[in-house]
mmCIF file of all heavy atoms in Angstrom:
data_model
loop_
_atom_site.group_PDB
_atom_site.id
_atom_site.type_symbol
_atom_site.label_atom_id
_atom_site.label_comp_id
_atom_site.label_asym_id
_atom_site.label_seq_id
_atom_site.Cartn_x
_atom_site.Cartn_y
_atom_site.Cartn_z
ATOM 1 N N ILE A 768 -3.297 -1.224 4.011
ATOM 2 C CA ILE A 768 -1.886 -1.437 4.277
ATOM 3 C C ILE A 768 -1.065 -0.623 3.293
ATOM 4 O O ILE A 768 -1.174 -0.818 2.087
ATOM 5 C CB ILE A 768 -1.504 -2.929 4.186
ATOM 6 C CG1 ILE A 768 -2.318 -3.749 5.192
ATOM 7 C CG2 ILE A 768 -0.001 -3.116 4.401
ATOM 8 C CD1 ILE A 768 -2.136 -5.243 5.051
ATOM 9 N N GLY A 769 -0.284 0.282 3.826
ATOM 10 C CA GLY A 769 0.621 1.082 3.019
ATOM 11 C C GLY A 769 2.039 0.605 3.202
ATOM 12 O O GLY A 769 2.457 0.371 4.337
ATOM 13 N N ASP A 771 5.953 1.565 2.638
ATOM 14 C CA ASP A 771 6.807 2.738 2.408
ATOM 15 C C ASP A 771 7.847 2.511 1.315
ATOM 16 O O ASP A 771 8.320 1.379 1.134
ATOM 17 C CB ASP A 771 7.554 3.099 3.690
ATOM 18 C CG ASP A 771 6.698 3.822 4.705
ATOM 19 O OD1 ASP A 771 5.467 3.682 4.671
ATOM 20 O OD2 ASP A 771 7.287 4.544 5.544
ATOM 21 N N ASP A 774 13.855 4.753 2.611
ATOM 22 C CA ASP A 774 14.265 6.044 3.201
ATOM 23 C C ASP A 774 13.109 7.040 3.241
ATOM 24 O O ASP A 774 13.255 8.210 2.864
ATOM 25 C CB ASP A 774 15.457 6.637 2.449
ATOM 26 C CG ASP A 774 16.653 5.721 2.461
ATOM 27 O OD1 ASP A 774 16.965 5.175 3.539
ATOM 28 O OD2 ASP A 774 17.281 5.530 1.413
ATOM 29 N N SER A 775 11.972 6.609 3.730
ATOM 30 C CA SER A 775 10.752 7.416 3.733
ATOM 31 C C SER A 775 10.603 8.324 4.953
ATOM 32 O O SER A 775 9.691 9.166 4.987
ATOM 33 C CB SER A 775 9.537 6.505 3.677
ATOM 34 O OG SER A 775 9.467 5.706 4.849
ATOM 35 N N GLU A 777 11.902 11.040 6.352
ATOM 36 C CA GLU A 777 11.798 12.500 6.241
ATOM 37 C C GLU A 777 10.475 12.909 5.595
ATOM 38 O O GLU A 777 9.773 13.807 6.076
ATOM 39 C CB GLU A 777 12.976 13.067 5.450
ATOM 40 C CG GLU A 777 12.997 14.577 5.443
ATOM 41 C CD GLU A 777 14.251 15.114 4.740
ATOM 42 O OE1 GLU A 777 15.333 14.529 4.902
ATOM 43 O OE2 GLU A 777 14.095 16.144 4.055
ATOM 44 N N ARG A 779 7.756 11.076 5.448
ATOM 45 C CA ARG A 779 6.698 10.653 6.370
ATOM 46 C C ARG A 779 6.470 11.703 7.435
ATOM 47 O O ARG A 779 5.324 12.096 7.715
ATOM 48 C CB ARG A 779 7.107 9.300 6.985
ATOM 49 C CG ARG A 779 6.109 8.749 7.996
ATOM 50 C CD ARG A 779 6.632 7.430 8.571
ATOM 51 N NE ARG A 779 6.180 6.293 7.805
ATOM 52 C CZ ARG A 779 5.059 5.648 8.038
ATOM 53 N NH1 ARG A 779 4.264 6.034 9.003
ATOM 54 N NH2 ARG A 779 4.721 4.619 7.306
ATOM 55 N N VAL A 782 4.589 15.127 6.423
ATOM 56 C CA VAL A 782 3.135 15.145 6.211
ATOM 57 C C VAL A 782 2.358 14.404 7.304
ATOM 58 O O VAL A 782 1.135 14.277 7.218
ATOM 59 C CB VAL A 782 2.747 14.604 4.816
ATOM 60 C CG1 VAL A 782 3.272 15.520 3.728
ATOM 61 C CG2 VAL A 782 3.225 13.187 4.627
ATOM 62 N N PRO A 804 1.965 2.532 12.539
ATOM 63 C CA PRO A 804 3.044 2.195 11.606
ATOM 64 C C PRO A 804 3.744 0.886 11.950
ATOM 65 O O PRO A 804 3.648 0.390 13.085
ATOM 66 C CB PRO A 804 4.003 3.383 11.771
ATOM 67 C CG PRO A 804 3.877 3.710 13.232
ATOM 68 C CD PRO A 804 2.408 3.496 13.549
ATOM 69 N N PHE A 805 4.446 0.349 10.960
ATOM 70 C CA PHE A 805 5.318 -0.805 11.159
ATOM 71 C C PHE A 805 6.751 -0.298 11.330
ATOM 72 O O PHE A 805 7.339 0.206 10.373
ATOM 73 C CB PHE A 805 5.293 -1.728 9.937
ATOM 74 C CG PHE A 805 3.939 -2.301 9.594
ATOM 75 C CD1 PHE A 805 3.366 -2.023 8.368
ATOM 76 C CD2 PHE A 805 3.270 -3.117 10.476
ATOM 77 C CE1 PHE A 805 2.122 -2.539 8.024
ATOM 78 C CE2 PHE A 805 2.034 -3.647 10.149
ATOM 79 C CZ PHE A 805 1.445 -3.364 8.928
ATOM 80 N N PRO A 806 7.330 -0.412 12.525
ATOM 81 C CA PRO A 806 8.740 -0.015 12.679
ATOM 82 C C PRO A 806 9.635 -0.854 11.759
ATOM 83 O O PRO A 806 9.396 -2.057 11.559
ATOM 84 C CB PRO A 806 9.038 -0.324 14.145
ATOM 85 C CG PRO A 806 7.693 -0.306 14.826
ATOM 86 C CD PRO A 806 6.742 -0.842 13.797
ATOM 87 N N PRO A 811 9.865 -0.424 19.396
ATOM 88 C CA PRO A 811 8.724 0.503 19.313
ATOM 89 C C PRO A 811 9.135 1.910 18.902
ATOM 90 O O PRO A 811 8.332 2.695 18.419
ATOM 91 C CB PRO A 811 8.138 0.476 20.716
ATOM 92 C CG PRO A 811 9.222 -0.016 21.609
ATOM 93 C CD PRO A 811 10.102 -0.888 20.751
ATOM 94 N N ASP A 812 10.415 2.243 19.084
ATOM 95 C CA ASP A 812 10.946 3.536 18.662
ATOM 96 C C ASP A 812 12.137 3.260 17.743
ATOM 97 O O ASP A 812 13.282 3.152 18.214
ATOM 98 C CB ASP A 812 11.374 4.361 19.869
ATOM 99 C CG ASP A 812 11.899 5.739 19.463
ATOM 100 O OD1 ASP A 812 11.819 6.100 18.278
ATOM 101 O OD2 ASP A 812 12.406 6.443 20.352
ATOM 102 N N GLY A 814 13.774 5.076 15.695
ATOM 103 C CA GLY A 814 14.724 6.149 15.434
ATOM 104 C C GLY A 814 14.925 6.389 13.959
ATOM 105 O O GLY A 814 13.982 6.395 13.171
ATOM 106 N N GLY A 817 13.376 4.341 10.938
ATOM 107 C CA GLY A 817 12.083 4.690 10.384
ATOM 108 C C GLY A 817 11.085 3.576 10.383
ATOM 109 O O GLY A 817 11.103 2.679 11.237
ATOM 110 N N LEU A 822 -0.647 0.271 8.968
ATOM 111 C CA LEU A 822 -1.874 -0.523 8.959
ATOM 112 C C LEU A 822 -3.010 0.316 9.495
ATOM 113 O O LEU A 822 -2.857 0.983 10.537
ATOM 114 C CB LEU A 822 -1.691 -1.764 9.840
ATOM 115 C CG LEU A 822 -2.948 -2.580 10.131
ATOM 116 C CD1 LEU A 822 -3.325 -3.403 8.907
ATOM 117 C CD2 LEU A 822 -2.743 -3.478 11.341
ATOM 118 N N ASP A 838 -6.372 6.478 -1.265
ATOM 119 C CA ASP A 838 -5.638 7.081 -2.381
ATOM 120 C C ASP A 838 -5.382 8.577 -2.174
ATOM 121 O O ASP A 838 -4.465 9.143 -2.761
ATOM 122 C CB ASP A 838 -6.382 6.891 -3.693
ATOM 123 C CG ASP A 838 -6.313 5.446 -4.179
ATOM 124 O OD1 ASP A 838 -5.474 4.685 -3.690
ATOM 125 O OD2 ASP A 838 -7.128 5.103 -5.064
ATOM 126 N N PRO A 841 -2.259 11.829 2.666
ATOM 127 C CA PRO A 841 -1.010 12.570 2.463
ATOM 128 C C PRO A 841 0.223 11.669 2.283
ATOM 129 O O PRO A 841 1.159 12.063 1.576
ATOM 130 C CB PRO A 841 -0.895 13.412 3.739
ATOM 131 C CG PRO A 841 -2.295 13.609 4.178
ATOM 132 C CD PRO A 841 -3.005 12.330 3.832
ATOM 133 N N VAL A 847 5.277 8.798 0.261
ATOM 134 C CA VAL A 847 5.769 7.958 1.364
ATOM 135 C C VAL A 847 5.512 6.482 1.035
ATOM 136 O O VAL A 847 6.374 5.633 1.221
ATOM 137 C CB VAL A 847 5.100 8.347 2.691
ATOM 138 C CG1 VAL A 847 5.480 7.369 3.811
ATOM 139 C CG2 VAL A 847 5.447 9.770 3.077
ATOM 140 N N LYS A 849 4.852 3.336 -1.443
ATOM 141 C CA LYS A 849 5.070 2.859 -2.810
ATOM 142 C C LYS A 849 3.903 1.994 -3.258
ATOM 143 O O LYS A 849 3.678 1.827 -4.454
ATOM 144 C CB LYS A 849 6.394 2.081 -2.925
ATOM 145 C CG LYS A 849 6.430 0.786 -2.130
ATOM 146 C CD LYS A 849 7.750 0.082 -2.276
ATOM 147 C CE LYS A 849 7.832 -1.133 -1.360
ATOM 148 N NZ LYS A 849 9.148 -1.742 -1.380
ATOM 149 N N LYS A 857 -13.309 -8.951 7.951
ATOM 150 C CA LYS A 857 -14.359 -9.450 8.852
ATOM 151 C C LYS A 857 -13.751 -9.646 10.228
ATOM 152 O O LYS A 857 -12.898 -10.506 10.424
ATOM 153 C CB LYS A 857 -14.938 -10.767 8.333
ATOM 154 C CG LYS A 857 -16.032 -11.274 9.235
ATOM 155 C CD LYS A 857 -16.612 -12.577 8.757
ATOM 156 C CE LYS A 857 -17.634 -13.071 9.762
ATOM 157 N NZ LYS A 857 -18.164 -14.380 9.408
#
Side-chain angles (χ1 to χ4, degrees):
I768 300 173
D771 283 24
D774 301 315
S775 64
E777 187 175 322
R779 179 182 269 271
V782 294
F805 299 119
D812 181 7
L822 170 76
D838 288 345
V847 174
K849 65 180 174 186
K857 181 180 176 185

